[in-house]
Amino acid sequence: MAGSTYGTSFTVTTWGESHGPAIGTVIDGCPAGLALSEEDIQRFLDRRKPGQNKYTTARNESDKIEILSGVFEGKTTGTPISLTIRNQDQRSRDYGRIKECYRPGHADYTFDAKYGFRDYRGGGRSSGRETIGRVAAGAVASKLLSQLGIRVTAYTKAIGKIEVPESEYDYGCILANPLYMPNNRYAEAAADYLDCCLHNQDSSGGMIECVIDGMPAGIGEPIFGKLDANLARAVMSIGAVKGVEIGDGFSVARATGSSNNDAFYASEGQIAKKTNHAGGILGGISDGSQIILRAAVKPTPSISQEQETVDQNGKNTSLIITGRHDPVIVPRAVVVVESMAAVTVADLLITNLSSRMEYLEQIYQREPHGR
Amino acid sequence: MAGSTYGTSFTVTTWGESHGPAIGTVIDGCPAGLALSEEDIQRFLDRRKPGQNKYTTARNESDKIEILSGVFEGKTTGTPISLTIRNQDQRSRDYGRIKECYRPGHADYTFDAKYGFRDYRGGGRSSGRETIGRVAAGAVASKLLSQLGIRVTAYTKAIGKIEVPESEYDYGCILANPLYMPNNRYAEAAADYLDCCLHNQDSSGGMIECVIDGMPAGIGEPIFGKLDANLARAVMSIGAVKGVEIGDGFSVARATGSSNNDAFYASEGQIAKKTNHAGGILGGISDGSQIILRAAVKPTPSISQEQETVDQNGKNTSLIITGRHDPVIVPRAVVVVESMAAVTVADLLITNLSSRMEYLEQIYQREPHGR
Amino acid sequence: MAGSTYGTSFTVTTWGESHGPAIGTVIDGCPAGLALSEEDIQRFLDRRKPGQNKYTTARNESDKIEILSGVFEGKTTGTPISLTIRNQDQRSRDYGRIKECYRPGHADYTFDAKYGFRDYRGGGRSSGRETIGRVAAGAVASKLLSQLGIRVTAYTKAIGKIEVPESEYDYGCILANPLYMPNNRYAEAAADYLDCCLHNQDSSGGMIECVIDGMPAGIGEPIFGKLDANLARAVMSIGAVKGVEIGDGFSVARATGSSNNDAFYASEGQIAKKTNHAGGILGGISDGSQIILRAAVKPTPSISQEQETVDQNGKNTSLIITGRHDPVIVPRAVVVVESMAAVTVADLLITNLSSRMEYLEQIYQREPHGR
Amino acid sequence: MAGSTYGTSFTVTTWGESHGPAIGTVIDGCPAGLALSEEDIQRFLDRRKPGQNKYTTARNESDKIEILSGVFEGKTTGTPISLTIRNQDQRSRDYGRIKECYRPGHADYTFDAKYGFRDYRGGGRSSGRETIGRVAAGAVASKLLSQLGIRVTAYTKAIGKIEVPESEYDYGCILANPLYMPNNRYAEAAADYLDCCLHNQDSSGGMIECVIDGMPAGIGEPIFGKLDANLARAVMSIGAVKGVEIGDGFSVARATGSSNNDAFYASEGQIAKKTNHAGGILGGISDGSQIILRAAVKPTPSISQEQETVDQNGKNTSLIITGRHDPVIVPRAVVVVESMAAVTVADLLITNLSSRMEYLEQIYQREPHGR
């Protein structure tokens, strides 16, 4: 198992290289009867599409998704859903020194160390284009979740030092600025900062936050399949992410129990919590509150400055990466974080169907002989 | 798959409740021929044993490990290794209000929400005692890694605001203070702070750091089986962990590409990096540098103060948790983090054997008919 | 993954060697709320217990099962169920030539070829005692199935040439004769044949049949998780089984479509079939008819005759296996086949919960916040 | 996990419906550095292509394979290999009564029972076209095996009562007759029999045999991952297969131990067996002899005779399936059996790399820092 499949009940297998003929994903385990169209998926993909504004590369790709299997007369059939995008920007080109040198901050060296050679064209399998498969799967998972009243929302929490405080969030404007920040004013400040980075031939890191609303209590498996553990893996598996936290996250290290514990209370037959330091997860299982996670995203490693490195023959050299590069990864990664969170939650919701004998009894008594 | 198994090649399945007859783990996929004794494992378990000092609960348990299978004449046989500890502290007792009330910060409510009822004795499956199985497996993984020249070391980076700066690390004293800090002076300050917490009927969070030395480049699977993604899941699956970061972690959000990229250089035929902001992982694959990760651990949720909560009938109430509780989880979790990291690395090292045709050719040519 | 775990939703991990301290199994994924006692399991184990009659070895073992986790107040909790039996017959003995020679028909040579050495005591991991773990798991799966109205029944179809024709089946007497045949008269004939085998220092093969009643239509996953494919794997994974067939099985090779197809008909709102050549499975999915499978079991390889073989230094030699051996494996394997079938069906029933969106909607609407 | 993935180390995921836009497979876990071209795969696919002779349907498809990922400059890269074939025969047509009636012997009814509805076009996911994905994966596995000196060969053992005895095998003519029989004379007799079936508006079953040569001893995992158990599952997961046997198979039921045991002998430092009743597998692990398996294949269920059945509203009716249908499934299934066997063996060979510490030491000492 070489790790290209994610999930236990709702499984997602991505495949494809940056400059190969196509890129795609296969979803196995999506229940039958979910209404699904190519538009549902395209809408998600368009959020990560390059060339949308001056902070994203102008790769000329339409990234048009095609559903090749698993959907019949507008509904999922319960069989594998194969989703593919043809790569259009495959023209033969001179990869120049990229072919021979290890770009700092990229996976060129580690792929060579692992496999003995690599597909050097546009980063090959380690390219950000691999996330197309994740986002396509995330669109399907999100559609499934919306049927159950669950909504996943990711946005840019910070770019460099420009961080939107929670008190100034306006979810309504996330899609209204090219940086997907929940506050247009901060987005403008961040844009200025990115202009400055570009001017300095440099790039910026940032932070993505993701919240999940409408989550029922009881989802997540108690040991290695904890909801937070799976979310951490899912989000950390996105290329540039270097840290993941849930609820109060790293600040719990300095907290005390009396301030960090969330008191329960009951109101109109519902159990809820007065605060949500836990980010909606206790013992790895959802507690019915909003799920909150944050991911730290490193600065784009491709910068225009000259950098020291070695070539694949082990000779010291320096490298200038030509071409235009995004000064920040964060905005395009927002929908990837949202997608990985949606897939994770869908997977655990389905897995949870097997948690109680009464669920089996309920399903099989109602459907004793199939129909 | 209810999530009690971790790993793809070297798999660990833990089982057992706090107050059941026993607790244990089954390891499947440990290669044959590794020298292994009960002492190898006991040494690890003793590091998480309760009652070792005034900051850990005085549960009277010997926690004596027994190898029930998979080892013959002092060597692993390649078949499942079953490791068990009998619980000795099982006397019937009055669980009082714990049986009916949901302790804030614990998994009582979420277990009920998931399964419809719960084993309320000592937290049942969500008890910290579940980590015994992880530590036992970690001991085996660490033994395997040491054969290959790889060493995993975890320690307490911070308790509350008492954080040991990297410049003052002295790895030699980690085992020399009861808090497993890499600096005895900071450990004393942290001890004073914990006394203060106890006095206030409160508890403290903290931070654990884990480094892995001797790691070959090329380990980790490039997409969902990334080394950092698997480490994140492994560590986040430990009860009280609320955040995980690799290398510079969350500080990359404010960094620039020029400062965050690690330059490569070659020296005596070896490729290395001048800095290690990446924490030893590029594109999810080890780069031959030291692996560095940190985990944020929340304060012990069991505190002696009166807390508001609800009972299982959905009535508002308040709760005082009696008995003695650790004022901090961190010191006992250090060996758990180390163990989960060791299991993760062992698993990916074994998985990596299938990365190249030349490895298959090498093994099967040498061993064409078995011996 | 070294193959000691079976199942995807209801997973069974067996561990233990013939002469190690204990043997056992861990079940992960059993839904919460199933009534389960040690007696439920012991009853199954007693059916494979040695020393019950003159055709089974007189190993002096009580084989007393212990539930170590996953059951609280008589019900499963949804967490792993650990089941263990202490081996009592572990006295140090002289394994003599078994230690050095490869017994024909046994796994001695192949274990050495695989691992470089082996636990030679009583066959180690390849001993029939490994099936204790399977039968314990099968008892739990059977209890679960009985709650849903599904009943798995295995019996001895044939010993040597003594084969009970379907027209003479009397299920009521399966447990009434020591060979578990569904006809006492044939059982007596088979007993005479086995006496003859013993007299000739020889052993006999046989055939086991297993039927599953009350199976709802729609169970099984259509490609690699077909109900028949999983049953085939499950049953072929039992040591001495050399063939598995479903419904008409191998005789379909000589059949024609017109005679082999089962016509559907409807009666009182139920869809059924006029014949059942398919053995209850179409396209890998149950069709609501009785499931029928048969397994061919080879003769006990341990016979008292002198046999030619080689020793582990590759020298030609001959071997007489001393001690008493069962003249036939079949009777003790009956409950193992039944157990593996039960685990397979339970696993696919649980997996099938995720086949339709309407099941998710039904469960999560009814249980929006856990209780 | 809905069962569309097979294998643990070398995993194959198939997707696609008979009349959807395309059909394909994704292989994850193929080691890097295997020379692979589209021709390697096309050659396999051409062996199952329809319309090759009068016994196979004349569907007008070129079935041209395309490698979409995982191969760079003619070698596998270690990343997922995506293989796709566009379906060309997708013209809208009148499916007539097939849309409403359950064809006997097909999966129409069971798909409806499972999912609540079905893609009725050409059988949808349960169509034989699904095996294209298996054969494409089998071609890759076979290429890998051939590098290690292992050769998998399948052929038609019998059609109806026309069975080629082992003494008359001529492997050289398998590809020389349209029925893939290892004897042209028997192939002619079988052809006559099939003409007779066609004349009677009927169809015939048959038997496929598969042998694996060059297999090293020691391959297979001892419990649920036995080589024979995995082969049984792999082969039984092919649509029309109703029985699988290894070596002497079902005839062991009537054998005695003295005749069924294979004596070992040593010659020139090699251990071998005098006979091979076991079919090359002992205790689930290869013993270095030829692996032998047989599969029973049912008659084509689509026959031109009028058949009784029910429609999806549960009304009794009768059905005549129009169009031309193969009078036998066997010849086209030969390469599917061979492919599933090849994938199974490749998977277990790779898994076996983790069986010994000495293998890890050998690989990681030679490659301490990647290259």
Side-chain angles (χ1 to χ4, degrees), chain B residues 31-32 34 147-148 216 270 349-350 352-364 366 368-370, chain D residues 31-32 34 147-148 216 270 349-350 352-357 359-364 366-370:
Chain B
L34 176 70
Q147 290 293 103
L148 303 171
Q270 292 288 323
L349 269 166
I350 295 172
N352 186 61
L353 292 174
S354 61
S355 60
R356 300 188 190 191
M357 276 305 292
E358 63 187 273
Y359 296 161
L360 272 90
E361 287 160 357
Q362 193 179 335
I363 298 300
Y364 290 117
R366 184 164 158 268
H369 292 281
Chain D
L34 176 70
Q147 288 294 102
L148 303 171
Q270 293 289 324
L349 269 166
I350 295 173
N352 186 60
L353 292 174
S354 61
S355 60
R356 299 189 191 189
M357 275 307 292
Y359 297 161
L360 273 91
E361 287 161 359
Q362 194 180 335
I363 298 300
Y364 290 116
R366 182 165 159 268
E367 299 277 344
H369 292 281

Side-chain angles (χ1 to χ4, degrees), chain D residues 64-363:
Chain D
K64 181 91 191 57
I65 196 76
E66 199 181 358
I67 300 177
L68 294 181
S69 69
V71 175
F72 180 60
E73 297 182 342
K75 285 189 301 184
T76 57
T77 60
T79 63
I81 302 171
S82 177
L83 304 170
T84 307
I85 280 181
R86 286 270 154 184
N87 287 331
Q88 295 172 330
D89 192 12
Q90 282 178 256
R91 62 181 178 280
S92 178
R93 67 174 81 172
D94 180 14
Y95 288 95
R97 306 215 47 235
I98 303 298
K99 183 173 165 178
E100 291 141 23
C101 292
Y102 296 133
R103 290 169 298 166
H106 280 279
D108 302 339
Y109 168 62
T110 54
F111 266 65
D112 260 16
K114 183 175 190 69
Y115 299 115
F117 70 104
R118 72 185 191 283
D119 177 351
Y120 50 76
R121 302 166 304 164
R125 181 72 175 144
S126 71
S127 162
R129 274 188 79 71
E130 181 270 335
T131 62
I132 285 177
R134 301 175 183 231
V135 173
V140 178
S142 292
K143 193 82 194 289
L144 184 155
L145 295 180
S146 72
Q147 288 294 102
L148 303 171
I150 300 168
R151 198 174 60 254
V152 185
T153 311
Y155 44 87
T156 301
K157 167 82 177 168
I159 286 180
K161 289 174 185 145
I162 319 296
E163 180 172 333
V164 192
E166 203 180 323
S167 57
E168 301 193 37
Y169 282 3
D170 175 5
Y171 288 155
C173 66
I174 294 172
L175 298 176
N177 67 77
L179 299 175
Y180 300 121
M181 281 185 133
N183 181 306
N184 287 333
R185 200 160 44 78
Y186 282 82
E188 282 163 31
D192 290 344
Y193 173 64
L194 291 177
D195 285 338
C196 175
C197 288
L198 278 175
H199 182 262
N200 296 337
Q201 300 186 307
D202 215 333
S203 61
S204 174
M207 211 191 302
I208 294 171
E209 193 165 77
C210 181
V211 296
I212 308 172
D213 295 291
M215 192 72 185
I219 307 304
E221 299 301 315
I223 308 302
F224 301 116
K226 284 186 166 81
L227 176 51
D228 37 2
N230 283 16
L231 285 170
R233 177 193 175 195
V235 171
M236 194 72 102
S237 78
I238 302 168
V241 173
K242 299 301 285 184
V244 180
E245 59 180 13
I246 304 289
D248 283 4
F250 271 85
S251 70
V252 301
R254 297 182 171 219
T256 59
S258 60
S259 65
N260 188 64
N261 281 351
D262 300 311
F264 289 106
Y265 72 97
S267 170
E268 296 177 22
Q270 293 289 324
I271 292 174
K273 299 184 325 185
K274 296 193 171 177
T275 52
N276 190 17
H277 300 290
I281 305 175
L282 285 170
I285 302 172
S286 62
D287 65 17
S289 310
Q290 187 184 57
I291 309 288
I292 306 167
L293 76 82
R294 273 173 303 280
V297 180
K298 75 176 184 181
T300 319
S302 289
I303 52 175
S304 309
Q305 297 177 33
E306 182 170 5
Q307 298 182 83
E308 293 176 76
T309 189
V310 298
D311 66 20
Q312 58 188 22
N313 300 314
K315 291 255 163 61
N316 286 307
T317 183
S318 73
L319 175 73
I320 292 177
I321 302 172
T322 54
R324 201 185 170 299
H325 301 285
D326 295 4
V328 66
I329 292 166
V330 166
R332 291 180 64 191
V334 163
V335 70
V336 185
V337 168
E338 188 176 308
S339 292
M340 290 306 298
V343 168
T344 300
V345 170
D347 186 41
L348 286 171
L349 269 166
I350 295 173
T351 299
N352 186 60
L353 292 174
S354 61
S355 60
R356 299 189 191 189
M357 275 307 292
E358 63 186 274
Y359 297 161
L360 273 91
E361 287 161 359
Q362 194 180 335
I363 298 300

Side-chain angles (χ1 to χ4, degrees), chain B residues 240-286:
Chain B
V241 173
K242 300 301 285 185
V244 180
E245 59 181 14
I246 304 290
D248 283 5
F250 271 85
S251 70
V252 301
R254 297 181 170 218
T256 59
S258 61
S259 65
N260 187 64
N261 282 349
D262 299 313
F264 289 106
Y265 72 96
S267 169
E268 297 176 21
Q270 292 288 323
I271 292 174
K273 298 184 326 184
K274 294 192 172 179
T275 52
N276 190 18
H277 299 291
I281 305 175
L282 285 169
I285 302 171
S286 63

